[in-house]
Amino acid sequence: MRRAALVLAAAALTTQTWAVSLRDIRTDVKVREGYTRCVVELSGETEFFQRDFLARRKYFLVDIYNVRPAVAERFITPATGPVQQILVLNRKDPDAQVLTLVFYLTDVRRYRVFSVKSPFRIVIDVFHSPEGVRTTTQEARPTVTPVPLVPVRPTPSVPVVTRQPPQRYRADGKKIVIIDPGHGGSDSGAQSYLRIGGRRVLEKDVNLAVAREMKRLIDAAPNIEAYLTRESDRYVSLADRARFCDRFYGDLFISIHCNATDSSRKRAARGLELYYLNPRGATRGSLRYLEEIENRNGGSNGGSTPDWNHPIFRSLARESLLKWLNEGRIVCEHLKAACYQIPYYRRYGNREKVIQSAFFYVLFQAEMPAVLVEIGFLTNVYDCRRLADPQFQKQAATALYNGTVAYFKARDERFEPKYLALPAGP
């Protein structure tokens, strides 16, 4: 016991040596030199990482790891220049306290991030001229020593988890669709009350089957391709799904789910529901229940748990609403029209609105038009039998495909859709 205690104490001391404290954050608008500089002075070296959202939302973030204690959260407003505000906030990574600086810009600008030693400082320069290609690192002047965006911790005996910036890419001339089969692995999602073949129907299995079929149909088309956030029965946290989206310049994000109700009195609910982003969240009780189910694993599996009441998330939600809300609604309209070619959906439309808005984590994080599709209620006997049927799964996937290409055609006259006939139903 004594030896174990000494080992734990030594580990605690080693951990403490990784932590650094914030000494100062200062900004300077250098008008003659043509840039705004922000300097973050720390008590020692630590790793930092930049994330770029300029093309879509006109901000970028710098995460600085192992900063303790937490700092006072605040806004810094430069007197002039392209930096409108800098938001200073704390958040928790699974293995570190993180200091995050969010740089809100007037428009897309070049910038650079580098470090200077003795004392250790992280320097962020935002250039005033909008001309040129945006950069995130740059060779510094001889008086400073640039370091990688993800420097190694100074303690060599401790294994380092390298955080690489996302590599964005897209296929030339093709539309890209990110298909997200909800849940998976240890998170089964909703499950049926009805047993088919002696077992309950699990949402994760239906979601994956429909998503795979939709991807197969999309990849067979010449001008569109699809990527799945998971291709097997494995757990993927909502944060990891968001990071997956960050790898692509996607044109559309579709999250596929099965619906459920929270009481036996509501098991008559059936049919299709389509959701686009509403950053204010749901107002009806049934929608709030659905939000809770779909968002419940957002902080697991390596993702940090966000504080949705924090000013940054309220601000980003407003920006997402302004930019993507209308597009999400339009996508839903096309998907609804295509799905209603399926006789079952057309005959047994849900008694509530088919197209609705709610706050789902995956929709908020996706940097593209994003919708969540509930293809039926596992808690309804009639829906459940169809959702478990491979023929109905193919029908649903085909309808979602047709709605997707119809949306692309409506938004891009050069896009030539290849519509598919619905397969026979069950």
Side-chain angles (χ1 to χ4, degrees):
M1 290 294 291
R2 182 178 179 182
R3 182 178 180 182
L6 289 173
V7 171
L8 289 173
L13 288 173
T14 304
T15 303
Q16 289 173 4
T17 62
W18 305 340
V20 298
S21 60
L22 176 68
R23 288 180 174 173
D24 189 24
I25 299 177
R26 51 188 180 271
T27 59
D28 186 9
V29 180
K30 297 180 178 291
V31 178
R32 293 185 61 183
E33 292 84 348
Y35 61 86
T36 297
R37 169 164 290 183
C38 176
V39 178
V40 183
E41 184 174 330
L42 301 161
S43 62
E45 295 186 34
T46 190
E47 64 175 355
F48 58 96
F49 171 52
Q50 164 269 333
R51 290 181 287 163
D52 190 331
F53 300 92
L54 281 178
R56 302 267 187 170
R57 293 184 179 175
K58 296 185 177 61
Y59 70 86
F60 67 91
L61 292 75
V62 177
D63 286 335
I64 306 172
Y65 291 84
N66 300 312
V67 178
R68 293 187 178 88
V71 305
E73 299 188 351
R74 62 193 184 278
F75 282 97
I76 299 172
T77 306
T80 186
V83 181
Q84 293 181 312
Q85 282 188 318
I86 304 170
L87 173 60
V88 182
L89 64 109
N90 305 287
R91 66 179 184 83
K92 287 187 179 296
D93 198 72
D95 59 353
Q97 174 78 29
V98 184
L99 170 64
T100 297
L101 277 68
V102 186
F103 290 77
Y104 292 94
L105 308 187
T106 55
D107 52 17
V108 176
R109 301 296 173 108
R110 295 184 300 121
Y111 66 92
R112 63 184 176 187
V113 183
F114 58 94
S115 70
V116 183
K117 296 183 179 180
S118 300
F120 185 78
R121 288 155 287 163
I122 298 170
V123 181
I124 304 99
D125 289 340
V126 179
F127 295 93
H128 294 177
S129 172
E131 298 177 356
V133 179
R134 185 175 75 251
T135 58
T136 56
T137 56
Q138 181 169 319
E139 289 296 323
R141 294 183 296 275
T143 55
V144 297
T145 304
V147 298
L149 282 179
V150 189
V152 177
R153 284 191 178 110
T155 307
S157 60
V158 180
V160 177
V161 178
T162 304
R163 296 173 172 86
Q164 295 292 343
Q167 301 298 315
R168 294 181 180 271
Y169 62 91
R170 63 174 301 156
D172 291 340
K174 285 190 174 184
K175 301 293 185 184
I176 288 182
V177 181
I178 309 299
I179 305 174
D180 173 45
H183 308 283
S186 60
D187 177 19
S188 61
Q191 58 179 299
S192 66
Y193 299 106
L194 179 69
R195 292 181 183 271
I196 296 179
R199 62 186 294 267
R200 298 185 189 276
V201 180
L202 302 182
E203 179 188 357
K204 64 176 184 176
D205 298 333
V206 178
N207 298 343
L208 184 59
V210 174
R212 281 174 169 170
E213 177 65 12
M214 185 180 178
K215 173 177 167 56
R216 186 187 70 81
L217 298 175
I218 286 177
D219 289 345
N223 52 359
I224 183 173
E225 60 183 297
Y227 297 91
L228 298 179
T229 58
R230 67 178 179 96
E231 297 185 2
S232 60
D233 182 18
R234 66 184 185 91
Y235 177 81
V236 182
S237 74
L238 296 179
D240 285 339
R241 294 170 200 264
R243 281 189 283 270
F244 181 91
C245 291
D246 217 28
R247 295 173 52 199
F248 302 92
Y249 285 117
D251 297 284
L252 180 60
F253 176 89
I254 298 179
S255 189
I256 298 176
H257 289 260
C258 297
N259 221 328
T261 54
D262 56 340
S263 71
S264 58
R265 293 177 300 173
K266 297 180 180 179
R267 291 183 192 174
R270 63 198 295 186
L272 179 75
E273 287 186 350
L274 300 152
Y275 291 90
Y276 59 92
L277 179 67
N278 175 8
R280 292 172 297 183
T283 55
R284 294 205 320 273
S286 58
L287 274 179
R288 287 197 298 271
Y289 170 75
L290 179 60
E291 283 182 351
E292 180 182 350
I293 290 177
E294 305 299 0
N295 293 332
R296 65 187 174 188
N297 72 336
S300 305
N301 197 30
S304 58
T305 304
D307 175 10
W308 297 116
N309 292 317
H310 197 286
I312 184 174
F313 289 110
R314 291 202 301 267
S315 174
L316 298 185
R318 284 194 298 271
E319 294 175 19
S320 295
L321 174 66
L322 293 175
K323 189 150 190 175
W324 301 126
L325 183 143
N326 188 56
E327 282 301 302
R329 185 188 298 113
I330 292 170
V331 173
C332 288
E333 292 286 356
H334 285 286
L335 294 180
K336 174 186 174 183
C339 287
Y340 268 43
Q341 297 302 308
I342 298 175
Y344 181 78
Y345 280 144
R346 190 168 61 249
R347 189 180 310 118
Y348 299 108
N350 191 12
R351 59 190 176 187
E352 298 178 346
K353 289 176 60 178
V354 174
I355 298 176
Q356 305 178 61
S357 62
F359 189 93
F360 294 120
Y361 185 96
V362 289
L363 302 188
F364 174 72
Q365 291 291 316
E367 286 289 316
M368 63 195 81
V371 298
L372 187 143
V373 183
E374 301 279 358
I375 57 176
F377 283 77
L378 281 175
T379 47
N380 179 276
V381 172
Y382 302 102
D383 273 15
C384 178
R385 286 174 177 152
R386 280 162 178 79
L387 292 172
D389 190 298
Q391 280 304 112
F392 187 82
Q393 293 170 1
K394 290 180 179 180
Q395 275 194 326
T398 305
L400 294 175
Y401 163 85
N402 285 337
T404 297
V405 296
Y407 164 73
F408 287 145
K409 177 61 177 177
R411 279 294 182 250
D412 184 354
E413 293 181 353
R414 298 168 298 178
F415 183 83
E416 294 296 333
K418 179 185 176 182
Y419 296 107
L420 300 176
L422 287 174

